[in-house]
């Protein structure tokens, strides 16, 4: 007897899961009780994983159509209206279709065991919309008169700012590497390590999310970690302290020095 394909296994599991839910009711899950019906669930996660491992395009299309397409569309819809992207001059349905197509293109990059699919694809969709929104804004600015802008330019100041930004970018890249290698040394609690790893991932993606406000970033971290704000804040404060200590030395020497070899800032 031939072994079932990944999608066939998913449908078999799904049938058993639905029967169990019908007979025994929903399983009690950790975390806050959802305030409304969820459209992107653990079933969506399993469908995406099955889709990625399935060699048959016909079966992939079937599971995508039945279990992934709607969650993707709903996710994009919620992100678009939550963050109020305002520099698009095409109909919303066209924007949604474009982002869903982009998510589909990136679906193979989601790996089982690397967090929840909802968090991953939320980041992908937000980043894509930010990039497109910023590009549209840049085009809009190009249409304005440049004479006034040129008269007010401070070339020396712009160069100084550019040098500082380049230095900060290089330091942050190196800091992410150092912190990633020392996570288990900085934090001993598994929960804190998960939060720190999530924050590091946001740092690595910072070029695409630099326009997010503080509240939005906290929401994003909570989505990925399923932890409370106070747990996240504690880790952020430690990482912020180390970042500032290490950058103070880097800005003078050009070298990364371990936070453990540096005194506290208030000393």
């Amino acid at each position: 007897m031939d072994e079932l394909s990944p999608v066939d296994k998913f449908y078999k599991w799904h049938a058993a899961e639905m029967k169990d839910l019908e007979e025994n009711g929903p399983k009690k899950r950790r975390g806050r009780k959802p305030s409304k019906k969820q459209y992107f669930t653990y079933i969506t996660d399993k469908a995406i994983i099955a889709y990625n491992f399935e060699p048959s395009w016909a079966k992939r299309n079937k599971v995508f159509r039945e279990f992934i397409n709607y969650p993707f569309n709903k996710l994009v819809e919620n992100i678009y209206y939550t963050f109020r992207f305002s520099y698009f001059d095409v109909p919303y349905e066209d924007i949604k279709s474009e982002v869903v197509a982009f998510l589909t293109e990136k679906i193979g990059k989601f790996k089982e065991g690397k967090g929840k699919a909802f968090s991953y694809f939320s980041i992908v969709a937000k980043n894509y919309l930010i990039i497109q929104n910023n590009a549209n804004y840049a085009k809009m600015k190009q249409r304005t008169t440049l004479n006034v802008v040129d008269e007010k330019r401070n070339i020396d100041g712009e160069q100084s700012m550019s040098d500082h930004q380049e230095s900060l970018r290089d330091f942050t890249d190196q800091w992410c590497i150092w912190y990633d290698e020392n996570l288990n040394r900085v934090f001993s609690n598994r929960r804190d390590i998960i939060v720190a790893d999530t924050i590091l991932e946001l740092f690595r993606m910072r070029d695409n999310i630099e326009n997010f406000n503080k509240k939005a970033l906290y929401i994003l971290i909570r989505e990925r970690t399923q932890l409370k704000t106070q747990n996240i804040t504690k880790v952020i404060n430690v990482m912020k302290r180390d970042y500032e200590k290490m950058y103070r030395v880097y800005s003078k020497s050009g070298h990364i020095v371990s936070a453990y070899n540096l005194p506290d800032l208030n000393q």
Side-chain angles (χ1 to χ4, degrees):
M1 181 177 179
D2 294 336
E3 184 180 355
L4 294 176
S5 75
V7 165
D8 290 333
K9 288 180 181 178
F10 165 78
Y11 277 101
K12 183 177 180 180
W13 167 86
H14 182 261
E17 184 73 4
M18 292 302 99
K19 182 179 179 181
D20 182 65
L21 287 173
E22 183 177 338
E23 294 175 353
N24 304 310
K27 300 180 180 69
K28 188 174 182 180
R29 298 184 178 274
R30 296 177 59 186
R32 292 183 302 174
K33 185 178 180 180
S35 58
K36 55 185 178 181
K37 184 178 179 181
Q38 301 296 294
Y39 61 88
F40 207 121
T41 68
Y42 67 100
I43 294 175
T44 314
D45 284 40
K46 287 188 174 291
I48 290 172
I49 293 166
Y51 174 96
N52 284 336
F53 283 101
E54 178 58 52
S56 167
W57 278 105
K59 293 179 180 180
R60 293 180 84 180
N61 290 336
K62 184 178 189 306
V63 76
F64 183 90
R65 184 175 63 253
E66 295 179 358
F67 289 95
I68 303 173
N69 186 55
Y70 175 76
F72 272 10
N73 276 269
K74 194 66 179 175
L75 181 148
V76 173
E77 177 183 327
N78 288 346
I79 290 174
Y80 181 84
Y81 286 114
T82 297
F83 291 90
R84 301 180 184 278
F85 297 99
S86 56
Y87 294 106
F88 288 91
D89 55 3
V90 295
Y92 160 70
E93 288 298 326
D94 291 350
I95 298 168
K96 184 171 72 169
S97 297
E98 182 177 337
V99 181
V100 169
F102 185 75
L103 293 181
T104 306
E105 180 183 334
K106 299 298 181 182
I107 196 170
K109 293 186 178 295
F110 175 72
K111 304 299 180 184
E112 185 176 9
K114 293 293 185 179
K116 294 186 178 297
F118 175 78
S119 300
Y120 174 81
F121 289 105
S122 291
I123 293 174
V124 173
K126 288 171 188 174
N127 288 344
Y128 184 85
L129 284 166
I130 287 171
I131 292 171
Q132 298 304 317
N133 194 62
N134 289 349
N136 292 337
Y137 176 69
K139 291 177 182 177
M140 184 194 74
K141 287 182 66 177
Q142 288 175 359
R143 301 190 191 104
T144 62
T145 304
L146 298 177
N147 293 337
V148 175
V149 177
D150 287 339
E151 289 175 1
K152 294 183 178 180
R153 288 182 66 187
N154 180 340
I155 302 301
D156 292 337
E158 289 178 6
Q159 184 61 48
S160 176
M161 179 61 71
S162 177
D163 292 343
H164 171 71
Q165 290 174 339
E166 185 63 34
S167 173
L168 195 60
R169 184 180 298 109
D170 179 65
F171 166 75
T172 303
D173 288 339
Q174 295 189 49
W175 179 82
C176 286
I177 294 172
W178 180 89
Y179 230 92
D180 190 48
E181 293 174 347
N182 289 275
L183 265 183
N184 292 318
R185 185 180 178 189
V186 179
F187 302 105
S188 57
N189 186 298
R190 182 175 179 275
R191 179 186 63 194
D192 293 344
I193 291 173
I194 292 172
V195 174
D197 185 59
T198 300
I199 294 169
L200 284 175
E201 183 61 24
L202 295 179
F203 265 97
R204 297 185 190 102
M205 303 169 67
R206 64 191 181 278
D207 288 340
N208 294 332
I209 62 175
E210 60 186 6
N211 289 330
F212 274 14
N213 58 40
K214 183 178 179 181
K215 180 180 179 181
L217 287 173
Y218 263 92
I219 292 173
L220 192 58
I221 296 170
R222 285 205 304 268
E223 286 177 356
R224 293 195 66 179
T225 63
Q226 301 298 305
L227 295 172
K228 296 179 180 179
T229 299
Q230 56 263 39
N231 301 132
I232 298 169
T233 300
K234 182 182 74 171
V235 175
I236 287 177
N237 287 339
V238 173
M239 298 179 76
K240 179 182 178 183
R241 177 202 66 195
D242 292 343
Y243 187 96
E244 292 174 347
K245 286 167 60 176
M246 294 171 71
Y247 183 66
R248 183 178 60 175
V249 174
Y250 175 86
S251 63
K252 296 177 181 178
S253 67
H255 298 286
I256 282 282
V257 177
S258 170
Y260 292 98
N261 297 331
L262 299 174
D264 291 335
L265 290 173
N266 57 3
Q267 291 184 353

